[in-house]
């Protein structure tokens, strides 16, 4: 009987270890996520499909997220793709048009209002992008002379809330925003960069630049006044996206900064990801909501 108990205990331990290995294939305590079983040397289109397939294996049956790993969520009401033609190139120098960049790279912390860690930009309006959220979201600062701020005791109003990333389970780097002006309307560019760990000590980076346009007043909820809604709300109106591969270096937080060649009718967006600097052409991309 004692021998049988020993066998049962042994078999139980084996089963437990086996289950741990199965779970370990999809789960990890590493905040950067597990290495994805995809070869970095295959063509980029095939690599992206492989990553999507691997992520979907891990997501199926466990999560009910609106942000699946597919472009189905990047369509406007006319079923046109939000993904914009993206022409980009590597350049040598990065210059930020944001005055706060010289001091602390526009990093800030707002307590007691839900924002937490933010990056911000000021051009006619003071707008922040949140760092402590699962997707791209941000707030706009309004004075205290409006009913919404007085009732909420908060002068930062949620301004945009969107999911421009390619994969819901990728590791997200810090976010940044910059404000531009088109036809006397403010348009925000929000940068969010994904990092996917591949086989062979390679990393796949997916750079997403979400373009945010002034929201249509006709779609405002009854709970927000028309004036406040027109002042503070923005909707996604296109995503610039490109991908590239790098050799893996020390796993740390990669800095992300975004800028423009000029505030009014910019021609180029500049994106700095760690030491890599990219120039993205904005021409021939009309605003969807105009």
């Amino acid at each position: 009987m004692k021998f049988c108990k020993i066998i049962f205990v042994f078999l139980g331990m084996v089963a437990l270890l086996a289950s741990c290995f199965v779970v370990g294939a999809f789960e990890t305590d590493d905040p950067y996520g597990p290495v994805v079983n995809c070869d970095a040397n295959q063509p980029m289109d095939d690599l992206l499909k492989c990553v999507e397939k691997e992520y979907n294996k891990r997501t199926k049956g466990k999560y009910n997220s609106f942000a699946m790993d597919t472009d189905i969520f990047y369509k406007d009401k006319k079923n046109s793709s939000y993904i914009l033609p993206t022409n980009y190139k590597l350049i040598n120098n990065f210059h930020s048009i944001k005055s706060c960049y010289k001091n602390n790279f526009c990093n800030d912390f707002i307590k007691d209002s839900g924002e937490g860690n933010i990056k911000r930009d000021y051009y006619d309006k003071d707008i922040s992008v949140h760092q402590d959220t699962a997707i791209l979201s941000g707030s706009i600062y309004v004075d205290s002379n409006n009913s919404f701020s007085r009732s909420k005791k908060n002068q930062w109003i949620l301004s945009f809330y969107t999911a421009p990333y390619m994969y819901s389970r990728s590791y997200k780097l810090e976010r940044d925003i910059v404000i531009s002006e088109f036809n006397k309307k403010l348009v925000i560019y929000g940068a969010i960069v994904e990092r996917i760990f591949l086989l062979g000590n390679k990393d796949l980076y997916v750079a997403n630049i979400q373009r945010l346009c002034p929201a249509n007043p006709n779609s405002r909820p009854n709970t927000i006044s028309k004036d406040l809604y027109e002042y503070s709300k923005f909707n996604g109106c296109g995503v610039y996206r490109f991908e590239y591969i790098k050799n893996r270096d020390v796993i740390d937080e990669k800095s992300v900064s975004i800028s423009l060649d000029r505030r009014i009718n910019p021609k180029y967006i500049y994106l700095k990801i760690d030491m890599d600097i990219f120039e993205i052409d904005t021409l021939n991309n009309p605003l969807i909501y105009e």
Side-chain angles (χ1 to χ4, degrees):
M1 180 66 68
K2 184 181 293 186
F3 177 77
C4 292
K5 288 183 178 179
I6 293 174
I7 291 295
F8 287 142
V9 170
F10 174 75
L11 292 175
M13 292 178 63
V14 170
L16 179 61
L17 287 172
S19 65
C20 289
F21 281 121
V22 171
V23 172
F26 293 149
E27 302 296 334
T28 177
D29 291 331
D30 189 335
Y32 296 94
V35 172
V36 176
N37 187 27
C38 293
D39 183 359
N41 295 317
Q42 59 187 308
M44 182 59 74
D45 287 345
D46 294 336
L47 174 59
L48 296 176
K49 291 177 182 177
C50 177
V51 173
E52 180 177 336
K53 181 179 179 181
E54 290 298 309
Y55 277 150
N56 282 336
K57 282 181 183 178
R58 302 170 186 188
T59 303
K60 187 176 181 181
K62 303 185 90 175
Y63 300 93
N64 184 21
S65 171
F66 69 91
M68 297 173 63
D69 300 318
T70 173
D71 279 345
I72 193 173
F73 292 95
Y74 298 99
K75 301 285 186 180
D76 66 7
K77 292 180 180 179
K78 297 180 181 179
N79 205 36
S80 299
S81 176
Y82 278 142
I83 308 300
L84 301 170
T86 305
N87 298 315
Y88 70 97
K89 65 179 181 180
L90 271 170
I91 59 174
N92 295 323
N93 298 310
F94 178 83
H95 172 73
S96 179
I97 62 172
K98 301 196 293 184
S99 58
C100 56
Y101 187 81
K102 302 174 184 176
N103 301 323
N104 59 354
F105 305 103
C106 302
N107 291 302
D108 207 345
F109 182 83
I110 304 175
K111 63 179 181 179
D112 302 329
S113 61
E115 275 72 25
N117 293 304
I118 66 167
K119 275 195 175 185
R120 65 201 304 177
D121 188 21
Y122 179 83
Y123 178 79
D124 185 52
K125 299 178 183 180
D126 191 352
I127 300 178
S128 70
V129 62
H130 305 162
Q131 301 293 345
D132 304 329
T133 57
I135 66 172
L136 184 71
S137 62
S139 299
I140 188 168
Y141 185 85
V142 298
D143 61 43
S144 57
N145 297 322
N146 65 80
S147 59
F148 193 89
S149 285
R150 289 198 300 270
S151 64
K152 299 293 183 181
K153 298 181 180 179
N154 181 11
Q155 291 174 251
W156 285 94
I157 307 299
L158 185 64
S159 177
F160 54 88
Y161 191 80
T162 184
Y165 47 79
M166 190 170 193
Y167 303 111
S168 61
R169 290 180 62 87
S170 59
Y171 176 73
K172 311 299 189 299
L173 277 64
E174 68 176 8
R175 298 86 186 266
D176 197 13
I177 57 166
V178 66
I179 306 170
S180 67
E181 181 181 332
F182 287 91
N183 301 327
K184 298 182 179 181
K185 294 182 180 180
L186 295 189
V187 174
I188 304 168
Y189 292 101
I192 183 169
V193 181
E194 306 171 65
R195 188 180 183 185
I196 298 101
F197 295 85
L198 305 173
L199 297 175
N201 288 318
K202 301 280 187 178
D203 291 340
L204 169 65
Y205 287 84
V206 181
N208 307 278
I209 300 174
Q210 170 78 64
R211 190 175 62 183
L212 299 147
C213 300
N216 187 340
N218 295 328
S219 60
R220 71 179 177 88
N222 294 328
T223 55
I224 303 178
S225 68
K226 181 179 179 181
D227 290 343
L228 181 59
Y229 189 82
E230 290 183 349
Y231 181 85
S232 63
K233 297 302 179 182
F234 291 81
N235 284 335
C237 56
V239 179
Y240 296 98
R241 173 180 290 163
F242 61 92
E243 310 87 14
Y244 63 99
I245 296 172
K246 292 193 69 174
N247 291 324
R248 186 169 309 147
D249 54 11
V250 177
I251 296 177
D252 57 6
E253 294 291 335
K254 306 290 184 182
S255 62
V256 174
S257 298
I258 188 171
S259 186
L260 304 167
D261 61 328
R262 56 180 181 259
R263 291 284 191 181
I264 300 176
N265 299 326
K267 181 180 179 182
Y268 296 109
I269 303 168
Y270 299 115
L271 181 64
K272 186 176 186 292
I273 304 171
D274 197 32
M275 301 304 294
D276 298 319
I277 303 167
F278 300 93
E279 179 185 85
I280 300 96
D281 192 336
T282 68
L283 294 183
N284 302 317
N285 288 320
L287 300 180
I288 291 176
Y289 289 115
E290 279 202 334

